[in-house]
Amino acid sequence: MSSGSNSSVAKKARTKAEADFATWLMIAKLGGFDDLPTNAQSFLVNYRARLETMSEAESTALAVREVYSAYYSEMGGVGAAPEPKARKPTTEGKVVRLQSGPKSRPRLSTARQSTWPILRRSLSAMLIFAGMVALIVAYRVLMQ
């Protein structure tokens, strides 16, 4: 297997490991630990045991690394799972930073700005009225 395909497997395994571990942790916190697969339960038991000797962040990182290694070999990765590249944190505390602002709509001319809401409302009302008329006509045709 080439190194390119190994890196592809590593990336997929890492993404899946992070998502699965977060999901398992949430399910366990909500009281569904017994509903989890046995491999997920064993990863969470190891995670909880490590919490007594290290911080939550360190224990989480180590647990995700274990899940990643297991997934890497299951997905056909050759040898030991490569160390993932360090990621930039996308959160500060509990606040999530936005990656990009909302897309702005092109500005309408001032004359068009004042009439646009009126046209939109009257068009909606007209469509509703036309739909009701069509239903009444269809009802009468079917009843005869």
Side-chain angles (χ1 to χ4, degrees):
M1 195 179 271
S2 69
S3 66
S5 62
N6 270 343
S7 64
S8 173
V9 168
K11 185 176 180 181
K12 288 177 186 174
R14 180 68 179 191
T15 303
K16 185 172 174 18
E18 289 172 345
D20 283 356
F21 184 74
T23 303
W24 297 338
L25 196 57
M26 186 56 61
I27 289 171
K29 286 181 179 179
L30 294 174
F33 181 80
D34 295 331
D35 298 332
L36 292 170
T38 54
N39 66 338
Q41 289 178 4
S42 65
F43 285 123
L44 286 174
V45 166
N46 292 340
Y47 165 77
R48 288 179 182 164
R50 281 191 300 267
L51 279 176
E52 295 177 13
T53 60
M54 59 179 69
S55 71
E56 184 178 355
E58 292 171 330
S59 182
T60 301
L62 192 55
V64 169
R65 174 74 180 149
E66 289 173 349
V67 176
Y68 160 64
S69 295
Y71 283 174
Y72 180 77
S73 59
E74 285 176 13
M75 291 179 171
V78 178
E83 279 297 319
K85 295 178 183 176
R87 295 183 180 183
K88 290 186 221 175
T90 57
T91 61
E92 292 175 7
K94 302 258 183 208
V95 179
V96 176
R97 284 186 281 144
L98 295 176
Q99 298 297 327
S100 62
K103 294 182 181 180
S104 61
R105 292 177 34 193
R107 301 288 299 171
L108 300 173
S109 67
T110 55
R112 192 168 177 196
Q113 277 181 345
S114 63
T115 60
W116 187 252
I118 296 169
L119 288 174
R120 179 178 279 168
R121 272 185 267 152
S122 63
L123 180 62
S124 296
M126 206 164 67
L127 287 173
I128 291 170
F129 179 76
M132 289 174 57
V133 168
L135 284 173
I136 292 170
V137 169
Y139 178 78
R140 286 190 178 176
V141 167
L142 291 174
M143 293 309 289
Q144 289 181 356

